[in-house]
Amino acid sequence: MTESRILRWMVEQCARSLEIPLREAVLGDLAETRASDSEALRQIVDVMLRRQTALWHCWRPWAVLAVVATPLAILLSRRSSETASWSSIYVWLCANNLDRTLLADKGFWHVTLDSLTHVAVACLTLSVWSWASGCLLGWVAQRTAWSTWALFSLASCLSLLAIPWNAMSDSQAAAAALHENAIVATNLFYRFVYPLLIHATCVMAPSLLGVMHGRRLRWSPFPLIEATRTRLS
Amino acid sequence: MIGEFEYLVLTAAARLGDEAYGASVRRSIEEATEESCSIGALYTTVDRLESKGLIRTWMGEATSQRGGRAKRMITVTAKGMEAASSFYRVVARVTRDAAWEAQ
């Protein structure tokens, strides 16, 4: 029962990405043929994928990907990596060093509150930038917004994964920084999992929400930008 | 020249006449080919045929059988009839004298 409800909810969500006439026709056809929930989901995902693939047969989505999505993905993954890098020290200090003596220390609480506020503000700033980037992607790409977001996420993840390996051989400063915080930098969780968590929560999730918002935007303060967007989408 | 799946859609739509819409065309193709036809493949082809001017589509009435959703009705245009007939002539010509029995 719950599984069926989840499948139906997924069908509804996927169908929302289709244009209204197509959505009506497809959902009507599925109702008429009495397709099971899993079959309906399979069919609607197939429609979505074919639809998105067909839209990539012209140059416009590629231009949006090259000029808007990829640079934003690289910039945001850089920022996300930096945030994860310095905040991991604070998080490690708080999470991996707790004991009764520290918990009873007022100074510890003062420093913890101060550093966690710092981390929260940085994460919030990154999330706002990601949301705004998603909004721009959704607004510019419109019909190809979902596939553009998927490629944006892929580019940002690849860029993020490339950074730790670069940092190992990059510069002496990076090597020194790694050495100073070696206990954190060599910890697998803080080196790989934590940056991915920061990236997922502060870049991918907000940018996805931004895309959903951007697709609904129909307003522009600048006629020239609006004209360019209309040509691209 | 049109592709074979485009020909199937055009022929099914022409045969169904006023009753040609997404689900009925799909059913007709599945019965003829005895293979499943995905909704995605059907509507992608319908869009392509419409952009080529070979068919015309519009939203029809909603029925309770369809959960209150409208049908996407399909009509083959004169250009579509010509394209399908031309495809059929080519297939008939190329098939003439061809033996399909195993040698």
Side-chain angles (χ1 to χ4, degrees), chain A residues 12 14 23 40 44 63 68 73 84 98 106 117 124 133 137-138 158 171 180 189 207 212 217:
Chain A
E12 298 268 321
C14 290
R23 187 193 312 166
I44 210 120
V68 185
L98 281 183
K106 277 186 182 172
T117 307
L124 188 68
S133 303
L137 276 186
L158 288 175
S171 64
E180 278 171 22
F189 174 79
S207 63
M212 287 159 81
L217 286 178

Side-chain angles (χ1 to χ4, degrees), chain A residues 24 29 32 43 46 51, chain B residues 21 38-39 43 47 66 69:
Chain A
E24 283 288 297
D29 287 358
E32 189 179 324
Q43 291 283 356
D46 181 55
R51 202 82 187 147
Chain B
Y21 63 95
S38 80
I39 296 180
Y43 282 113
D47 285 342
R66 295 172 57 82
R69 310 272 184 186

Side-chain angles (χ1 to χ4, degrees), chain A residues 2 20 35-36 38 45 99 125-126 172 184 189 197 203 215 226:
Chain A
T2 316
I20 295 169
S36 65
S38 55
V45 167
D99 59 28
T125 311
L126 182 61
Q172 285 186 333
V184 183
F189 174 79
L197 281 177
V203 176
R215 285 183 81 226
E226 174 62 21

Side-chain angles (χ1 to χ4, degrees), chain B:
Chain B
M1 196 168 76
I2 58 171
E4 73 267 27
F5 192 68
E6 290 177 326
Y7 176 75
L8 289 177
V9 174
L10 282 174
T11 312
R15 201 153 50 84
L16 289 161
D18 292 343
E19 287 301 309
Y21 63 95
S24 67
V25 169
R26 184 172 165 234
R27 213 165 21 239
S28 176
I29 291 173
E30 285 183 335
E31 279 166 12
T33 60
E34 295 177 350
E35 278 178 27
S36 71
C37 164
S38 80
I39 296 180
L42 176 73
Y43 282 113
T44 308
T45 308
V46 164
D47 285 342
R48 195 167 54 242
L49 288 172
E50 191 168 30
S51 70
K52 287 181 187 174
L54 304 181
I55 57 168
R56 195 171 62 81
T57 71
W58 74 97
M59 296 310 287
E61 87 275 21
T63 62
S64 57
Q65 189 197 10
R66 295 172 57 82
R69 310 272 184 186
K71 294 172 179 173
R72 188 173 178 187
M73 307 302 293
I74 303 169
T75 301
V76 183
T77 61
K79 197 177 164 191
M81 299 266 192
E82 176 51 39
S85 140
S86 159
F87 180 89
Y88 178 76
R89 276 197 303 272
V90 170
V91 171
R93 216 167 27 237
V94 83
T95 314
R96 201 177 302 146
D97 301 328
W100 294 117
E101 292 83 26
Q103 299 297 311

Side-chain angles (χ1 to χ4, degrees), chain A residues 34-110:
Chain A
R34 294 188 182 159
S36 65
D37 294 324
S38 55
E39 171 65 10
L41 183 63
R42 199 179 64 78
Q43 291 283 356
I44 210 120
V45 167
D46 181 55
V47 174
M48 268 175 65
L49 292 177
R50 283 173 189 271
R51 202 82 187 147
Q52 288 289 314
T53 311
L55 292 170
W56 283 81
H57 285 159
C58 66
W59 61 271
R60 293 176 179 90
W62 295 101
V64 172
L65 181 68
V67 178
V68 185
T70 309
L72 281 175
I74 293 168
L75 283 173
L76 287 171
S77 60
R78 281 268 166 197
R79 173 59 66 187
S80 149
S81 170
E82 280 168 25
T83 307
S85 173
W86 63 259
S87 68
S88 64
I89 313 291
Y90 291 120
V91 175
W92 178 83
L93 281 171
C94 298
N96 295 53
N97 296 280
L98 281 183
D99 59 28
R100 281 169 190 274
T101 325
L102 264 181
L103 288 173
D105 191 295
K106 277 186 182 172
F108 167 77
W109 286 108
H110 178 75

